[in-house]
Amino acid sequence: MIRLTLRTLRADLARLLMSTLAVVLGVAFIAGTLIFVDGMRAGTYERAATFDRHTDVGVYLDTEADRNLIDSALVEKVRAVEGVRAAAAELVGTAGVVGSDGRPVLGFGVLAAVPVDPALQSYQVVAGRMPQRAGEAVLDERTVQEQGFALGTEVRVGGASGAARPYTLVGVVDVAGTSRDIGGPFIGLVGPDALAVTEQPGYHRILVAAEPGVTDEVLAGRIAQVTVAGTTVHTRTEILDAAVEDAVRDVNQFNMVLIVFAAVAVLVAAFVIANTFTIVLAQRTRRTALLRLVGATRGQVFRATLLESAVIGLLASAVGVLVGIGLAAALGVLMDQLNVPLDGDLTVTAPTVLSCLVIGTVLTVGSALVPAWQGTRVAPVAALTDAALQVTRSAGRLRLIFGGLVLAAGVAALAGAGGTGQIVLVALGGMLSFFGIVLFGPVLVPALVRMFGVVVRRVLGVTAALAVANAVRNPRRVAATATALVIGIGLVSSFVVGAHSTKAAIDRSVDAQIGVDFVVTGIGGDLPAGVVEALAVRPELGVVHEQRSRIVDDSRIRAAHPALVGRQVQTVVAGQVDSFGPGRVLVHRELAAEEGWSPGDRIDLRGHSFEVAAVIVGPEVAEGPVSPGRVVELVGADFTRLFPDERGYLAEIEPAQGVSPESAREAIEAVLADYPTVNLLDQAAYKRMLTSTVDMLLAFVVALLGLAVVIALVGVANTLSLSVLERTRENAVLRAVGLTRPRMRAMLAVEAVLTALVGALLGVALGTAVTGSVMAILARFSGDFVLAVPWGQLGGILAAAVLAALAASVLPARRALRRPVVEALADR
């Protein structure tokens, strides 16, 4: 039986080629992911504790400790401990550099306090030296090259403390590929300068180098005796272990994301493989019956089919691993080109290769189990009759009834999720709806094919009628083919609709909260000290309002500007909003009702008395721990009196009366030239900044799900190809009675298009329904979230599916027309 199985496999290799391609693509995705992540993980181990190469002991702040604990005094205490060769404090924060053109260098800047003592310096110096005293700085190699900075010249560095200050560039360091290379400039300063620029209250840790002959454990014990509560002492081994654990955790999270999408592709491949074996084994009915007739048992035939699937799975998996190696290499090149710190050397390990071979083989064998068992159920004598040629088998009544109930339950769960606010119902409804489509598909899919076929028949006539009849001839087959598309296109549609709805919600939120021409935002944090004041004194600017708030006693106290507050007032419950100003506040309805406040009442806020100007209703949403409607708004000067150290991340700016937007922009840019950690955006650009992350995530997700869609389309081509083989004599008869070659191609194209279109439409409907339920739940927390359907993008998805189906019909049509009519009529 083994030799016969291998001969059978060789004879039917062309029929199994498409399903083999599905396995190759699925395994390639998994192999590429694992190989790329293995390289990242290996690089992580190499780069772990890059900046601790000479650190023997470290003193760290506890998670919830006061940031003032590690100061210069504690560093001196540690330095005085017996056995300490050198000790230095370190902090890592954000800052920016003013470029050679007078504009801020783009990107998120990282600033670090670097050790002065050579015994602790772990940076790779490319040119010059490390800073030794205040007023000196080092920059990363990329920034120096791009800006054309020279050693010994001044560079301006700014951060949270205010405008940029000049520092002498004394060195260039290479931090590429490390945790301090995140796309922007790297700045290294001595400790006091780093504290001054970042306005940090204290250092993050103390690095300690031991004297020769002093062990880490002994030195750590001595240092622990002089440290304060809220700090922890770690040995070198503990520091390295923690660094590796943190880095590997990030790699593993990235790996999990990719594996989830790979699993989707594998699931689609399983549908394609199962459908292929179902068709092929049905076409082998006479051959199988002959084996049974000459003595082969049902178990032997079943095992022979599984052996065949195992060989296919193993060979396809081996090819998939090779393709995966190429994908991993391409992904590494792409990450380098995009300057994304997720790169790593190509690392192919035996466990990865073995696991991919096992996954691909098990996937193929598992998908073939049910078709293989069903293929042995035909009695030998009955199979040798002409009835064996009838491969159509309708779905069982129990399956259809159960499938209809499951589909109805899924739709009901999705419809009720918004009203109950239960996200679990969304997940449950999505899964039930999908399984309902799978089970009820033999009725649902042919019905939809016939419905769309009515329109096509009006254009193509008898050709379209033949295509529809062929498509629905085997309901289980066409349902399985369309269902594979439902998975990929459903997920793509869900993310596309979700992204569009989220972007629409962001646009509405910005329109409601920001009604000015320009905004300035802090890069990676709050606005630096002095920037708002510097903007406010410019005569070209009429309104400069810094958005600030503070939570006090379960309520939010928020700064507002009299000229801008009207945009957030939806309803005035009592009082006059126009009277809002210094010494007068606006109170939102829920808080006013709870406290019994009315217009004219005097209220106390942190020891200061204010008069209630009005009770209002605004866009009431939950803000962190604060319940909706528990808000007090007061003018900026009053807010500063209450909270002088509070800063915001954004300031709204409106040109002065009679000043053009261009002149106002020039005035703002003139101020911001001294603040490299601040962005200037108009309202449209601010929206683009907020939505760019959504677009980036959507592109990432669609790219990963694209492979699942490709595999499903391979399934369409595969089903059509096998159906053409099955209908060889039938197609020859049609050609003999006058069906032209163009009409034959059109018939097969329509069959492919209708199958793909139905699968794509079901996927779009399912994905949109799931996202609609999610948006209904989010709308309970914020009215900005509503379902926004991107009809153009969804239409593009359907058009892409139709075009791909047309392309998939080319080879089957060529095969159907390749054989002469007389030869095809003799086919048995």
Side-chain angles (χ1 to χ4, degrees), residues 229-602:
T231 60
T232 304
V233 181
H234 294 290
T235 63
R236 175 174 178 78
T237 300
E238 293 170 338
I239 293 172
L240 294 177
D241 288 346
V244 170
E245 182 181 352
D246 289 343
V248 170
R249 184 187 303 114
D250 294 337
V251 173
N252 289 340
Q253 290 173 350
F254 181 69
N255 183 42
M256 285 302 300
V257 171
L258 294 181
I259 288 297
V260 167
F261 288 101
V264 173
V266 167
L267 178 62
V268 175
F271 274 88
V272 173
I273 297 165
N275 200 29
T276 300
F277 272 96
T278 300
I279 299 171
V280 170
L281 292 176
Q283 293 172 354
R284 287 185 193 167
T285 301
R286 286 192 168 185
R287 190 186 307 172
T288 302
L290 181 60
L291 289 174
R292 296 286 309 280
L293 198 64
V294 298
T297 66
R298 185 175 177 182
Q300 285 179 310
V301 175
F302 176 70
R303 289 191 293 272
T305 304
L306 294 187
L307 175 61
E308 185 178 347
S309 65
V311 173
I312 293 172
L314 184 60
L315 294 177
S317 299
V319 177
V321 170
L322 295 177
V323 176
I325 294 173
L327 288 176
L331 187 58
V333 172
L334 178 63
M335 292 298 180
D336 286 339
Q337 294 293 325
L338 297 177
N339 291 323
V340 177
L342 291 177
D343 57 338
D345 295 332
L346 195 65
T347 304
V348 182
T349 63
T352 294
V353 173
L354 182 61
S355 62
C356 290
L357 294 177
V358 171
I359 290 172
T361 305
V362 171
L363 166 69
T364 310
V365 174
S367 301
L369 278 173
V370 174
W373 182 250
Q374 291 176 342
T376 64
R377 296 173 62 181
V378 180
V381 175
L384 290 174
T385 66
D386 286 342
L389 298 176
Q390 177 57 266
V391 296
T392 300
R393 191 163 62 90
S394 61
R397 182 176 300 177
L398 182 62
R399 167 182 168 169
L400 296 178
I401 294 174
F402 184 67
L405 293 175
V406 170
L407 180 59
V411 172
L414 291 176
T420 61
Q422 297 295 321
I423 194 67
V424 175
L425 280 181
V426 177
L428 181 63
M431 289 189 293
L432 289 177
S433 297
F434 171 71
F435 285 120
I437 291 173
V438 172
L439 296 173
F440 196 64
V443 170
L444 180 62
V445 173
L448 292 174
V449 169
R450 291 189 183 94
M451 184 179 70
F452 293 120
V454 172
V455 179
V456 182
R457 278 199 295 269
R458 294 179 180 177
V459 179
L460 298 178
V462 176
T463 303
L466 289 171
V468 172
N470 286 333
V472 302
R473 176 183 302 185
N474 192 318
R476 292 164 64 97
R477 181 183 302 177
V478 70
T481 305
T483 301
L485 270 171
V486 171
I487 301 172
I489 291 183
L491 289 172
V492 169
S493 301
S494 180
F495 281 103
V496 167
V497 175
H500 189 73
S501 301
T502 301
K503 290 168 64 177
I506 291 173
D507 286 347
R508 282 189 290 271
S509 176
V510 171
D511 290 338
Q513 297 180 26
I514 298 176
V516 295
D517 288 348
F518 301 104
V519 295
V520 294
T521 63
I523 300 175
D526 292 334
L527 292 168
V531 65
V532 174
E533 291 77 7
L535 290 166
V537 299
R538 294 292 302 220
E540 300 92 340
L541 308 179
V543 173
V544 178
H545 170 59
E546 182 180 11
Q547 290 190 356
R548 295 171 291 170
S549 67
R550 175 74 72 86
I551 297 175
V552 177
D553 297 332
D554 297 328
S555 299
R556 184 174 295 276
I557 300 177
R558 188 163 61 198
H561 195 286
L564 304 176
V565 73
R567 68 171 183 264
Q568 296 210 18
V569 177
Q570 297 177 347
T571 305
V572 179
V573 178
Q576 297 292 327
V577 175
D578 294 342
S579 63
F580 174 61
R584 294 183 174 182
V585 300
L586 300 177
V587 181
H588 288 229
R589 180 176 57 189
E590 285 75 7
L591 180 59
E594 183 175 327
E595 299 291 341
W597 293 339
S598 301
D601 291 349
R602 305 294 299 186

Side-chain angles (χ1 to χ4, degrees), residues 778-820:
L778 293 177
R780 294 167 60 93
F781 302 97
S782 172
D784 293 327
F785 285 99
V786 296
L787 180 65
V789 180
W791 297 108
Q793 290 176 293
L794 295 183
I797 292 173
L798 296 177
V802 168
L803 293 175
L806 286 173
S809 70
V810 172
L811 289 178
R814 185 176 298 174
R815 175 177 291 177
L817 296 171
R818 186 170 52 198
R819 298 179 67 181

